[in-house]
Amino acid sequence: MDTEAQHTERDPSSPADPPPDPASDDGSRSVRVSGPSWRRTGLTGAACVVFLLLLSHFVAQPFLIPSGSMEPTLQVGDRILVNKLAYRFGSEPRRGDVVVFDGTGSFVREHPAGNPVTGLLHDAAAALGLAAPDETDFVKRVVGVGGDRVVCCDEDGRITVNDTRVAEPYLTPGDRPSDVPFDIVVPPGTLWVMGDHRSQSSDSRDHLGSPGGGMVPVDKVVGRADWIVWPFARWTTVTETDAYDAVPAPPASGHPTGPRGSGHG
């Protein structure tokens, strides 16, 4: 009993329990602090990504321009910011607006769904402007809205909308308004769209014989291209055009003649 009691009394000062090493203690504290710090950094980064994804889904989404079909307005490699609120509260695209739309069912056929994980990662990267948009997404300029009669071309080689000539200052220098003749009436709820680089643009003209006649449903419009945000040297707004200011509204009774294309409205 006495021996065990003495052994117990000697334990606190036993060499088996050396005093704490300040360096070792500091190191342990450093480890304990760095763990939560990394977690906070990771959580903050994740929160920022989620915020940007929500912002791009509901408010404004960056898009990467992959081709020259909208030159000189938009250049290859430009990153534009698309205003998703522009048509959210009752407004609809107007003639002259540069819009991004989903061409599924109008410009491209429906395709079977691919790998969902790969698709999700690509959609996230595209939503942040880090990857090219889906092959079903297009950016074009609105030339005709529901009820409009759009014809190419008059004796001076210009497009007319509702029998009014349209001077198009945004076209690529040297391009004709169109090398493809057409005479169409835009059905209600749809748009006739064309690229600014007409000789290099696959647009509504190329789908005249397709289901829908090249018309883009308004509800497929993602938003209006309002800003060029990259590269910094081109950081500016997408300039509005007054080319269509003189174009009258389509007649309430529809156009009197039956144009080639989609019939009269």
Side-chain angles (χ1 to χ4, degrees):
M1 294 283 294
D2 291 343
T3 303
E4 186 166 346
Q6 290 172 1
H7 177 70
T8 302
E9 290 173 0
R10 283 196 301 271
D11 272 350
S13 59
S14 172
D17 297 314
D21 184 355
S24 174
D25 187 53
D26 288 345
S28 65
R29 282 200 300 270
S30 175
V31 171
R32 287 196 298 271
V33 170
S34 65
S37 176
W38 280 109
R39 285 197 295 271
R40 283 196 297 271
T41 302
L43 289 173
T44 301
C48 289
V49 170
V50 170
F51 172 77
L52 289 174
L53 288 174
L54 289 174
L55 186 70
S56 69
H57 185 75
F58 293 106
V59 181
Q61 180 175 347
F63 276 85
L64 175 65
I65 301 301
S67 75
S69 69
M70 281 297 293
E71 292 175 343
T73 305
L74 302 175
Q75 305 285 339
V76 176
D78 281 353
R79 282 176 171 81
I80 59 173
L81 202 58
V82 176
N83 181 0
K84 289 191 167 185
L85 299 180
Y87 311 123
R88 189 65 61 87
F89 303 105
S91 298
E92 291 194 351
R94 301 179 302 170
R95 304 180 199 98
D97 286 357
V98 177
V99 298
V100 171
F101 61 92
D102 177 4
T104 304
S106 57
F107 277 35
V108 294
R109 295 180 179 179
E110 298 274 359
H111 291 290
N115 186 311
V117 176
T118 304
L120 183 63
L121 292 175
H122 177 271
D123 288 348
L128 298 175
L130 303 177
D134 289 336
E135 294 182 359
T136 60
D137 291 335
F138 297 86
V139 55
K140 303 293 177 188
R141 190 180 296 274
V142 177
V143 174
V145 298
D148 285 346
R149 183 180 181 183
V150 186
V151 180
C152 185
C153 292
D154 68 5
E155 60 274 13
D156 295 324
R158 292 184 179 182
I159 285 177
T160 65
V161 181
N162 299 336
D163 299 321
T164 302
R165 296 177 182 179
V166 178
E168 300 181 276
Y170 43 75
L171 295 184
T172 295
D175 262 13
R176 291 164 48 86
S178 180
D179 290 325
V180 177
F182 56 85
D183 184 348
I184 57 92
V185 168
V186 185
T190 66
L191 307 170
W192 176 268
V193 298
M194 302 174 72
D196 290 355
H197 196 172
R198 295 284 160 81
S199 62
Q200 300 295 321
S201 176
S202 176
D203 48 42
S204 289
R205 298 169 296 169
D206 296 272
H207 300 278
L208 283 167
S210 304
M215 310 299 172
V216 176
V218 170
D219 59 11
K220 289 285 190 176
V221 174
V222 175
R224 186 178 63 210
D226 279 354
W227 305 277
I228 300 171
V229 296
W230 183 264
F232 286 130
R234 287 178 47 75
W235 197 343
T236 184
T237 58
V238 177
T239 306
E240 295 184 1
T241 180
D242 60 0
Y244 300 87
D245 286 359
V247 175
S253 58
H255 292 274
T257 59
R260 299 183 304 275
S262 58
H264 41 174

